[in-house]
Amino acid sequence: MPKQTFNFSFFLFSFYAHAGAFATYASLFFAARGMTPAQIGVLMSLIQVMRFFGPNLWGWVADHTGRRVLVLRAITIAGLLSFSGIVLAHSFAQFFAAMVLLNLFTSAQAPLSEALMLAEMKGDLSNYGKIRLWGSFGFVVSVMGAAYGLDWWGVESLLWMAGALQVMVLLAGLGIGETTHLEPGRVATPLWQVLRQREVIAFFASAALMVAAHTSLYVYYSLYLERIGYSKPVIGAMWCLGVLAEIVFFYFQAHVFRRFGARRVMMAAFAVGLLRFAVIGGAAQSIALLVCAQLLHALTFAAHHSSCVMTMQRWFAGPLQARGQALYIALAYGVGGSCGGLFMAWCWGALGSHAVYYAAATLCVLAAGAASLVFRRPSPAA
């Protein structure tokens, strides 16, 4: 494995391992520190909210200065230092400030590392999936490992596990080098000129709608299955099955995109999303159908994410690379994730738990409609 490929793989493994351990179990830690359910909801929402601010701020700094590696290293150091605020905090106000500061830096680490990785690939994204899968692998390993750690050492041990993973993120960031430089004299198209294009607006709307559909899983899937009657080991196995499915897709994605292209893969992801969420909403009592629905995560998440990354190269390559990745995280996951979480909460309370997944299926249809505007003009990337 080439050194730079290893560096990116190690960084994504470390970043998503930390995200998996901390984001999955932080609510348990906050509860042990005396936070109320409402306070925990606010604190956990900051992970999504700061995805709008952090990536845009540091993406702009990276592209404006041209020192993307330096900015990445700086925010990995700042992220580790900010994590000490979680360790020292005791009151809600202290936890709130610590979560804002921590996520201001950590939310930009993945998009900035991916911008560097895409620049290194120089338009050839055939190896993107084989690098990105290490992020998924790190996530599932840390979620399972942290579960055993919390059982053995208690909830407070989350601080030391997540802190150690933050050190790994820092070490991985220090190993990444920027070997690809922009061509002399190349000037970036003003960002506002790119963002006003109808295809770009439609792309971000489509991505946000698809992420909003997936909040039905991120927020309510475990609770939904528990209420149906599934045990915690079965629920955990369903989560792992979904992540393993996305890892398999990432590994083989080069062959898929070479044969079908980004447009067909993206539209297939929406169609499969409609089927998947409808099955979860209407037939989750069948363990066989539930397993099949989780295997479809390979398409609804991994295939959709990769096709989005490839499609963005139409508008955000070169000097706009970091800001393009930042906008993708901010608009798709920040805005889409936050609005989707609120919408799903309303559906759960007003219409019932099954309605959450029928709503998610509907959002997939809307996302497909928006994406159809993206590909009206033929492009080599499509």
Side-chain angles (χ1 to χ4, degrees):
M1 179 184 292
K3 181 179 179 181
Q4 194 73 319
T5 299
F6 171 81
N7 290 337
F8 286 123
S9 300
F10 180 42
F11 186 90
L12 291 173
F13 177 92
S14 304
F15 174 83
Y16 284 104
H18 172 266
F22 186 71
T24 302
Y25 302 111
S27 58
L28 302 179
F29 169 77
F30 290 138
R33 286 288 181 95
M35 299 298 103
T36 67
Q39 290 173 332
I40 293 171
V42 171
L43 293 173
M44 296 302 291
S45 71
L46 291 173
I47 297 175
Q48 296 290 351
V49 171
M50 294 310 295
R51 281 179 166 177
F52 183 79
F53 297 101
N56 282 319
L57 171 62
W58 300 115
W60 178 85
V61 172
D63 281 341
H64 183 71
T65 62
R67 306 294 298 275
R68 295 173 182 172
V69 168
L70 181 61
V71 173
L72 178 62
R73 291 175 179 175
I75 62 176
T76 56
I77 294 171
L80 179 59
L81 294 176
S82 300
F83 190 76
S84 63
I86 304 292
V87 177
L88 299 174
H90 293 282
S91 68
F92 172 72
Q94 291 171 342
F95 279 125
F96 186 92
M99 285 291 284
V100 168
L101 191 61
L102 174 65
N103 288 284
L104 177 66
F105 298 112
T106 57
S107 62
Q109 290 170 0
L112 190 50
S113 69
E114 289 212 11
L116 286 163
M117 182 172 71
L118 293 169
E120 182 74 16
M121 292 177 176
K122 300 177 182 177
D124 178 11
L125 304 187
S126 57
N127 287 323
Y128 173 82
K130 291 185 179 180
I131 298 175
R132 178 58 180 80
L133 69 83
W134 285 100
S136 302
F137 185 61
F139 183 91
V140 70
V141 167
S142 72
V143 168
M144 297 301 295
Y148 286 106
L150 295 178
D151 276 343
W152 291 335
W153 301 309
V155 175
E156 288 287 328
S157 65
L158 178 65
L159 292 177
W160 311 114
M161 289 186 283
L165 291 170
Q166 275 282 5
V167 173
M168 283 180 57
V169 173
L170 172 59
L171 294 175
L174 294 176
I176 292 177
E178 189 168 17
T179 58
T180 299
H181 302 280
L182 300 176
E183 297 89 338
R186 183 173 180 181
V187 179
T189 303
L191 185 61
W192 67 270
Q193 289 187 14
V194 176
L195 294 178
R196 67 187 295 184
Q197 296 179 41
R198 184 185 64 180
E199 291 83 359
V200 177
I201 295 170
F203 168 79
F204 284 123
S206 174
L209 287 165
M210 191 61 162
V211 171
H214 280 72
T215 59
S216 64
L217 301 174
Y218 305 146
V219 178
Y220 286 114
Y221 188 66
S222 296
L223 179 61
Y224 177 68
L225 294 186
E226 184 180 56
R227 291 199 173 184
I228 289 175
Y230 289 107
S231 65
K232 288 182 175 60
V234 171
I235 295 171
M238 290 298 107
W239 279 107
C240 290
L241 187 63
V243 177
L244 291 174
E246 76 181 54
I247 289 173
V248 171
F249 180 87
F250 280 136
Y251 186 83
F252 292 105
Q253 74 163 48
H255 304 289
V256 175
F257 282 103
R258 192 177 301 120
R259 179 169 182 178
F260 298 105
R263 179 181 65 84
R264 291 181 180 177
V265 172
M266 184 182 291
M267 299 308 290
F270 298 132
V272 171
L274 169 62
L275 173 64
R276 180 190 185 191
F277 292 120
V279 168
I280 295 174
Q285 292 81 2
S286 167
I287 187 68
L289 290 177
L290 194 64
V291 167
C292 291
Q294 278 304 90
L295 291 175
L296 295 179
H297 192 66
L299 287 172
T300 67
F301 171 73
H304 177 259
H305 174 76
S306 293
S307 59
C308 283
V309 170
M310 293 182 178
T311 302
M312 281 196 300
Q313 301 312 299
R314 299 165 124 199
W315 314 293
F316 295 104
L320 294 178
Q321 193 86 69
R323 276 174 286 181
Q325 289 299 116
L327 281 166
Y328 175 63
I329 295 298
L331 297 176
Y333 288 88
V335 176
S338 299
C339 294
L342 293 173
F343 177 55
M344 296 305 171
W346 177 83
C347 289
W348 183 285
L351 304 174
S353 58
H354 295 279
V356 166
Y357 297 96
Y358 297 138
T362 303
L363 290 176
C364 290
V365 176
L366 296 176
S372 67
L373 300 177
V374 176
F375 297 105
R376 279 191 175 178
R377 297 179 183 177
S379 167

Short mmCIF file of all heavy atoms in Angstrom, two decimals, residues 220-247:
data_model
loop_
_atom_site.label_atom_id
_atom_site.label_comp_id
_atom_site.label_asym_id
_atom_site.label_seq_id
_atom_site.Cartn_x
_atom_site.Cartn_y
_atom_site.Cartn_z
N TYR A 220 -33.91 6.65 15.44
CA TYR A 220 -34.98 5.83 16.00
C TYR A 220 -34.88 4.32 15.74
O TYR A 220 -35.69 3.57 16.26
CB TYR A 220 -36.33 6.32 15.46
CG TYR A 220 -36.76 7.62 16.08
CD1 TYR A 220 -36.85 8.77 15.31
CD2 TYR A 220 -37.05 7.71 17.43
CE1 TYR A 220 -37.24 9.98 15.87
CE2 TYR A 220 -37.44 8.91 18.01
CZ TYR A 220 -37.53 10.03 17.22
OH TYR A 220 -37.91 11.22 17.78
N TYR A 221 -33.93 3.87 14.94
CA TYR A 221 -33.91 2.46 14.54
C TYR A 221 -33.83 1.52 15.74
O TYR A 221 -34.59 0.55 15.84
CB TYR A 221 -32.74 2.22 13.60
CG TYR A 221 -32.71 0.85 12.96
CD1 TYR A 221 -33.69 0.45 12.06
CD2 TYR A 221 -31.68 -0.05 13.25
CE1 TYR A 221 -33.66 -0.79 11.46
CE2 TYR A 221 -31.63 -1.30 12.66
CZ TYR A 221 -32.62 -1.67 11.77
OH TYR A 221 -32.58 -2.90 11.18
N SER A 222 -32.91 1.79 16.66
CA SER A 222 -32.75 0.91 17.82
C SER A 222 -34.01 0.88 18.67
O SER A 222 -34.48 -0.19 19.09
CB SER A 222 -31.55 1.36 18.67
OG SER A 222 -30.35 1.25 17.93
N LEU A 223 -34.58 2.06 18.94
CA LEU A 223 -35.80 2.13 19.75
C LEU A 223 -36.96 1.44 19.04
O LEU A 223 -37.76 0.74 19.66
CB LEU A 223 -36.14 3.60 20.03
CG LEU A 223 -37.40 3.86 20.85
CD1 LEU A 223 -37.29 3.21 22.23
CD2 LEU A 223 -37.64 5.37 20.98
N TYR A 224 -37.05 1.62 17.74
CA TYR A 224 -38.12 1.01 16.94
C TYR A 224 -38.06 -0.51 17.04
O TYR A 224 -39.08 -1.18 17.29
CB TYR A 224 -37.96 1.48 15.50
CG TYR A 224 -38.93 0.88 14.51
CD1 TYR A 224 -40.29 1.19 14.56
CD2 TYR A 224 -38.49 0.01 13.51
CE1 TYR A 224 -41.18 0.66 13.63
CE2 TYR A 224 -39.36 -0.51 12.59
CZ TYR A 224 -40.71 -0.19 12.65
OH TYR A 224 -41.58 -0.72 11.73
N LEU A 225 -36.86 -1.08 16.86
CA LEU A 225 -36.73 -2.53 16.92
C LEU A 225 -36.97 -3.05 18.33
O LEU A 225 -37.54 -4.14 18.52
CB LEU A 225 -35.33 -2.95 16.43
CG LEU A 225 -35.02 -2.69 14.95
CD1 LEU A 225 -33.68 -3.29 14.59
CD2 LEU A 225 -36.11 -3.21 14.04
N GLU A 226 -36.54 -2.31 19.33
CA GLU A 226 -36.76 -2.72 20.72
C GLU A 226 -38.25 -2.80 21.02
O GLU A 226 -38.72 -3.74 21.69
CB GLU A 226 -36.06 -1.76 21.67
CG GLU A 226 -36.15 -2.18 23.13
CD GLU A 226 -35.44 -1.19 24.05
OE1 GLU A 226 -35.79 0.01 23.99
OE2 GLU A 226 -34.56 -1.62 24.80
N ARG A 227 -39.02 -1.83 20.53
CA ARG A 227 -40.46 -1.83 20.78
C ARG A 227 -41.18 -2.95 20.05
O ARG A 227 -42.22 -3.42 20.50
CB ARG A 227 -41.05 -0.47 20.39
CG ARG A 227 -40.60 0.65 21.32
CD ARG A 227 -41.51 1.85 21.25
NE ARG A 227 -41.16 2.83 22.26
CZ ARG A 227 -41.84 3.95 22.46
NH1 ARG A 227 -42.90 4.23 21.72
NH2 ARG A 227 -41.48 4.80 23.40
N ILE A 228 -40.61 -3.37 18.92
CA ILE A 228 -41.19 -4.51 18.21
C ILE A 228 -40.96 -5.80 18.99
O ILE A 228 -41.76 -6.73 18.93
CB ILE A 228 -40.61 -4.61 16.79
CG1 ILE A 228 -41.13 -3.45 15.93
CG2 ILE A 228 -40.93 -5.94 16.13
CD1 ILE A 228 -40.53 -3.40 14.55
N GLY A 229 -39.85 -5.82 19.76
CA GLY A 229 -39.56 -7.00 20.58
C GLY A 229 -38.21 -7.62 20.35
O GLY A 229 -37.90 -8.68 20.93
N TYR A 230 -37.35 -7.00 19.55
CA TYR A 230 -36.03 -7.56 19.31
C TYR A 230 -35.11 -7.29 20.51
O TYR A 230 -35.21 -6.25 21.17
CB TYR A 230 -35.41 -6.96 18.05
CG TYR A 230 -36.06 -7.43 16.77
CD1 TYR A 230 -36.88 -6.59 16.02
CD2 TYR A 230 -35.86 -8.74 16.33
CE1 TYR A 230 -37.49 -7.04 14.85
CE2 TYR A 230 -36.46 -9.19 15.15
CZ TYR A 230 -37.27 -8.33 14.43
OH TYR A 230 -37.88 -8.77 13.28
N SER A 231 -34.21 -8.23 20.76
CA SER A 231 -33.26 -8.09 21.87
C SER A 231 -32.13 -7.16 21.47
O SER A 231 -31.90 -6.89 20.28
CB SER A 231 -32.69 -9.46 22.24
OG SER A 231 -31.90 -9.97 21.17
N LYS A 232 -31.40 -6.67 22.46
CA LYS A 232 -30.27 -5.77 22.19
C LYS A 232 -29.19 -6.43 21.35
O LYS A 232 -28.62 -5.79 20.45
CB LYS A 232 -29.70 -5.23 23.51
CG LYS A 232 -30.62 -4.22 24.18
CD LYS A 232 -30.00 -3.68 25.45
CE LYS A 232 -30.88 -2.56 26.04
NZ LYS A 232 -32.23 -3.02 26.38
N PRO A 233 -28.84 -7.72 21.59
CA PRO A 233 -27.85 -8.35 20.70
C PRO A 233 -28.31 -8.38 19.24
O PRO A 233 -27.50 -8.18 18.33
CB PRO A 233 -27.73 -9.77 21.27
CG PRO A 233 -28.06 -9.62 22.71
CD PRO A 233 -29.14 -8.58 22.75
N VAL A 234 -29.60 -8.61 19.00
CA VAL A 234 -30.10 -8.62 17.62
C VAL A 234 -30.03 -7.22 17.02
O VAL A 234 -29.63 -7.04 15.86
CB VAL A 234 -31.55 -9.15 17.57
CG1 VAL A 234 -32.15 -8.96 16.18
CG2 VAL A 234 -31.59 -10.62 17.96
N ILE A 235 -30.38 -6.20 17.82
CA ILE A 235 -30.32 -4.82 17.34
C ILE A 235 -28.88 -4.46 16.98
O ILE A 235 -28.61 -3.87 15.93
CB ILE A 235 -30.88 -3.86 18.40
CG1 ILE A 235 -32.37 -4.14 18.62
CG2 ILE A 235 -30.66 -2.41 17.98
CD1 ILE A 235 -32.97 -3.39 19.79
N GLY A 236 -27.95 -4.82 17.85
CA GLY A 236 -26.54 -4.56 17.57
C GLY A 236 -26.07 -5.27 16.32
O GLY A 236 -25.31 -4.72 15.52
N ALA A 237 -26.54 -6.50 16.14
CA ALA A 237 -26.16 -7.26 14.94
C ALA A 237 -26.69 -6.60 13.67
O ALA A 237 -26.01 -6.60 12.63
CB ALA A 237 -26.69 -8.69 15.05
N MET A 238 -27.89 -6.01 13.75
CA MET A 238 -28.44 -5.32 12.59
C MET A 238 -27.58 -4.12 12.20
O MET A 238 -27.33 -3.88 11.02
CB MET A 238 -29.88 -4.86 12.87
CG MET A 238 -30.92 -5.96 12.97
SD MET A 238 -31.10 -6.91 11.43
CE MET A 238 -30.31 -8.44 11.93
N TRP A 239 -27.14 -3.37 13.21
CA TRP A 239 -26.26 -2.22 12.93
C TRP A 239 -24.95 -2.68 12.28
O TRP A 239 -24.49 -2.10 11.29
CB TRP A 239 -25.96 -1.47 14.22
CG TRP A 239 -27.04 -0.52 14.64
CD1 TRP A 239 -27.92 -0.66 15.67
CD2 TRP A 239 -27.36 0.74 14.03
NE1 TRP A 239 -28.77 0.42 15.74
CE2 TRP A 239 -28.45 1.29 14.75
CE3 TRP A 239 -26.84 1.45 12.95
CZ2 TRP A 239 -29.02 2.52 14.42
CZ3 TRP A 239 -27.41 2.67 12.61
CH2 TRP A 239 -28.48 3.19 13.34
N CYS A 240 -24.36 -3.72 12.84
CA CYS A 240 -23.09 -4.21 12.28
C CYS A 240 -23.28 -4.73 10.87
O CYS A 240 -22.41 -4.54 10.01
CB CYS A 240 -22.52 -5.31 13.18
SG CYS A 240 -21.93 -4.72 14.77
N LEU A 241 -24.40 -5.39 10.62
CA LEU A 241 -24.67 -5.92 9.29
C LEU A 241 -24.72 -4.80 8.25
O LEU A 241 -24.18 -4.92 7.14
CB LEU A 241 -25.99 -6.69 9.30
CG LEU A 241 -26.36 -7.45 8.03
CD1 LEU A 241 -25.34 -8.55 7.74
CD2 LEU A 241 -27.75 -8.06 8.18
N GLY A 242 -25.36 -3.68 8.61
CA GLY A 242 -25.44 -2.55 7.70
C GLY A 242 -24.07 -1.98 7.38
O GLY A 242 -23.76 -1.67 6.22
N VAL A 243 -23.22 -1.84 8.41
CA VAL A 243 -21.88 -1.28 8.19
C VAL A 243 -21.03 -2.24 7.37
O VAL A 243 -20.27 -1.82 6.49
CB VAL A 243 -21.21 -0.96 9.54
CG1 VAL A 243 -19.79 -0.46 9.33
CG2 VAL A 243 -22.02 0.08 10.31
N LEU A 244 -21.14 -3.53 7.65
CA LEU A 244 -20.38 -4.51 6.86
C LEU A 244 -20.80 -4.49 5.41
O LEU A 244 -19.97 -4.63 4.50
CB LEU A 244 -20.58 -5.91 7.46
CG LEU A 244 -19.93 -6.15 8.82
CD1 LEU A 244 -20.31 -7.52 9.37
CD2 LEU A 244 -18.40 -6.02 8.74
N ALA A 245 -22.09 -4.28 5.15
CA ALA A 245 -22.57 -4.19 3.77
C ALA A 245 -21.97 -2.99 3.06
O ALA A 245 -21.58 -3.08 1.88
CB ALA A 245 -24.10 -4.10 3.76
N GLU A 246 -21.86 -1.86 3.75
CA GLU A 246 -21.26 -0.68 3.11
C GLU A 246 -19.78 -0.88 2.85
O GLU A 246 -19.24 -0.41 1.85
CB GLU A 246 -21.52 0.58 3.95
CG GLU A 246 -20.68 0.74 5.18
CD GLU A 246 -21.01 1.99 5.98
OE1 GLU A 246 -22.19 2.19 6.33
OE2 GLU A 246 -20.06 2.74 6.27
N ILE A 247 -19.10 -1.61 3.74
CA ILE A 247 -17.68 -1.90 3.54
C ILE A 247 -17.49 -2.73 2.26
O ILE A 247 -16.58 -2.46 1.45
CB ILE A 247 -17.09 -2.65 4.75
CG1 ILE A 247 -16.99 -1.69 5.95
CG2 ILE A 247 -15.72 -3.23 4.43
CD1 ILE A 247 -16.57 -2.36 7.24
#
